[in-house]
Amino acid sequence: MPPANHGELVRAVLRDPIHWLAFAIPAGLSPLAPGTVGSIWGVAAAFAAADLTLPTQLVIGSIGFVIGIWICGISSRRLGVHDHGGIVWDEVVGCYLAVLPAGADPLWLAVGFGLFRLFDIVKPRPIRDLDHRLHGGLGIMLDDIIAALYGALLLIALQRLAGAVF
């Protein structure tokens, strides 16, 4: 049975280490925009990994994706709610991948963050279709990975356009 209120949710999350990860404690417990708060963790992770090679960064993102399928699926089942708003591991990993082209540049990290949030919220095709068709951990993770791909590609295009203009 899903938690009845925020206090009950907090207690359930704090009692279960799987929820700690799925909620990227404390991001997923934010009463306002937990997905956005989780995405900030993704930016921080990408910034921390900026000096690593791109293949290493992608391996980290891939591991986060695979672990996320398991973590988010279990957390969702235990809460009794598919893709509960507090489950933000998918936003952490998605935003991490979306902002990788930014490197450590604060401006491009902010642009990448905004692009990821835009695609994650608006959910253009096929993101919306995946979000509605796939359930469990894969469904929770995959729509954010596609949003990350859209965001990263647009970020790269904007960086190239800016480089051509300036």
Side-chain angles (χ1 to χ4, degrees):
M1 179 194 291
N5 57 50
H6 190 69
E8 188 177 310
L9 174 68
V10 169
R11 284 187 295 280
V13 168
L14 294 179
R15 283 192 305 258
D16 189 336
I18 290 291
H19 292 321
W20 299 350
L21 295 171
F23 276 62
I25 294 295
L29 292 176
S30 172
L32 297 172
T36 299
V37 177
S39 297
I40 292 168
W41 283 105
V43 172
F47 182 79
D51 288 337
L52 302 174
T53 65
L54 180 59
T56 301
Q57 293 171 329
L58 293 174
V59 166
I60 291 168
S62 298
I63 291 169
F65 173 72
V66 171
I67 290 171
I69 293 171
W70 180 70
I71 290 169
C72 295
I74 293 172
S75 182
S76 180
R77 281 191 303 280
R78 289 181 182 172
L79 290 173
V81 179
H82 173 70
D83 203 0
H84 185 282
I87 295 175
V88 297
W89 181 272
D90 51 330
E91 276 84 10
V92 174
V93 174
C95 195
Y96 167 83
L97 291 168
V99 302
L100 285 180
D105 185 301
L107 173 63
W108 289 116
L109 284 166
V111 171
F113 168 81
L115 291 171
F116 172 74
R117 291 306 299 146
L118 174 70
F119 288 122
D120 189 36
I121 292 166
V122 173
K123 297 191 185 307
R125 295 192 99 183
I127 299 170
R128 183 171 306 282
D129 298 331
L130 290 170
D131 192 43
H132 291 149
R133 283 192 199 145
L134 295 175
H135 296 286
L138 181 61
I140 293 169
M141 290 298 299
L142 198 55
D143 67 307
D144 289 272
I145 298 307
I146 303 299
L149 179 63
Y150 284 6
L153 291 174
L154 188 52
L155 179 60
I156 292 167
L158 290 172
Q159 287 173 317
R160 291 196 174 159
L161 181 62
V165 172
F166 300 107

